[in-house]
Amino acid sequence: MNSVLLTTALLAISLITTNGYADSGPAASPSSERLEFIAPEPGTYQLPVLGTAVDGAVLDTEGNEAALHDLMGDKVVLLSFIYATCSDVNGCPLATSVLHKIKSRLKKEPELAKQLRLLTLSFNPEHDTPAMMKQYGQAFQEPGVEWRFLTTRSERQLQPILDSYKQTLEKIYDDQGRFTGTFSHILRVYLIDKDKQLRNIYSVSFLQPETLINDIKTVLLAGKKSETQSIKTDTAALYAAGDNKNHYERSDYETHSMALTDRTGQPADLLKTIRQPPLGLPAVPVPDNNPLTADKVNLGRKLFYDRRLSFNNTFSCAMCHVPEQGFASNEMATAVGIEGRTVRRNTPTVYNIAYARKLFHDGRENALEQQIWLPLLAHNEMGNPSIGYVLDKVKSSADYNELFKKVFGKGPDMESLGMAIASYERTLNSANSVFDRWYYGKDPQALDAKAQRGFKLFTGKANCSSCHVVTAEHALFTDNSLHNTGIGYAAAMGKTEDAQRVQVAPGLYVDVAAQLIDSVSEIKPNDLGRYEITQNPDDRWKYKTPSLRNISLTAPYMHNGSLGTLRQVIEFYNKGGVVNENLDPLIKPLNLTAQDMDDLEAFLNALTGDNVRELVSDAFAAPVGDAE
């Protein structure tokens, strides 16, 4: 063994055989077998998630390339950074000695040892080649615990890893300006759970074997508890709004919030609904100039969830089109953009958006490839000042340039960015609902009697299908047209009440003077609907007919989110909308009974596609870009 390596390894071993103090030089941090206090029992405390363990390219002791993430996920990991020739007793030898003590103690707990991996990565790749790290690690290799020694191909390859783990170091030079082969650095050891999340970071003062072992056990116990809770959790809740506000208007409301850490997903075959549309939907229209490929869809998916596409790196498409909220937004009547800027209309769902011939509530756009640029540039949405500004940001992100070149044969531009996002949105198709299996699949047991009565009303007395079209072959539940129902007219021309009822807690409301609300509110912008596009007076307060597929997932309803429940929507149409000079002639009182309205609501609730969870789970698995 190299003499310097031998000396360093012996120093680490000498620390193992003492109470953590060197014979000379500065005293080492205590790493004795016994603490000066009684350590809490594993599982009696919590270790919060500190962030995600970052990936990086490394080399093993045989010179094989690997990724840090490939060495995580199946076991709990203790990651340390060292350089093989370090002689600072409070530095690398201390970390190595503590990990060695842990390894020795785990011989008595083989089941625990099977769930732990020690990783030691050099931050001196020029000296610590794979062969050198193999020599260094030989003294610590024994059966029982997996301990891998790693290095990198170069300092350039190493630096992003050091930056991500905030592992700072400086080379030490002599008075002649020559590198001495030593570094000034702060010792840190990282505890990483099976979800590749940082759970603790140990500095010199806290690097103690008993503490680390208890923390490892605590992380493992928390993982088992989480798995048990996941089994007990209603799977439907995993794919519903994280902070579900259903029945919030009632005083007996109970929260069923779900932690983000529980909302993990699995990538899906998103092209499946393109190859074979779900029952009830026709073939997906795909533009000739933008054919779908898996790489293009994955690029669009990455962009859809990337906050860096907004002016201040805080807002992605998915923050309005929230996957677990029906790719809409259940929590707000109208959308909110960057910095809390008010958007005057409700967030429409992007489920089955591939079939839409008109986009936005007023039908101002006709192609998904073009549509994306409006929210990117809107001051109150993603807030970017120009097309060039967006493209420069994307081009400056190293992770995007190669992806665009792979998919389009060129870097990002206005056309390719729109094509990529449109390609992902075009795969979000959902049908094969219980209605589809009953009506198109001819399964008489698929739809219950109440919903069947609702469908008869839908196509008969209630006349809903005159706009929400159902054909013998498929049902888009929209005529792709625009209508004046009176909602827009009432918002623009209706009388302002002297007081507004405001909910402050479950089942608790207060009446607040309209004048007080106005004093702290932005002036409400007028909204004339389709008229703003055509300037035709007959188009005042006309808005696009939405599809009713997955309608139970996309509350609140109407272009301004003014109706919070399906029942309120049914009651609104039962009354004949709001009378005005441009009211659509199809809108008239329906004279539905309470039982009729119950049946109609049951039918609408039967329009949820059977692949919603799969698409939401895929969204949970998507990468989230949120940093430069």
Side-chain angles (χ1 to χ4, degrees), residues 30-41:
S31 60
S32 59
E33 291 296 329
R34 296 193 177 187
L35 292 169
E36 295 180 1
F37 58 90
I38 299 175
E41 289 294 318

Side-chain angles (χ1 to χ4, degrees), residues 466-504:
S466 60
C467 296
H468 300 283
V469 178
V470 178
T471 72
E473 295 79 27
H474 52 74
L476 295 179
F477 288 99
T478 176
D479 58 2
N480 276 300
S481 188
L482 299 98
H483 302 273
N484 178 337
T485 66
I487 284 280
Y489 171 84
M493 308 297 288
K495 179 184 176 183
T496 302
E497 301 293 336
D498 293 334
Q500 182 174 328
R501 200 174 188 222
V502 177
Q503 184 174 4
V504 295

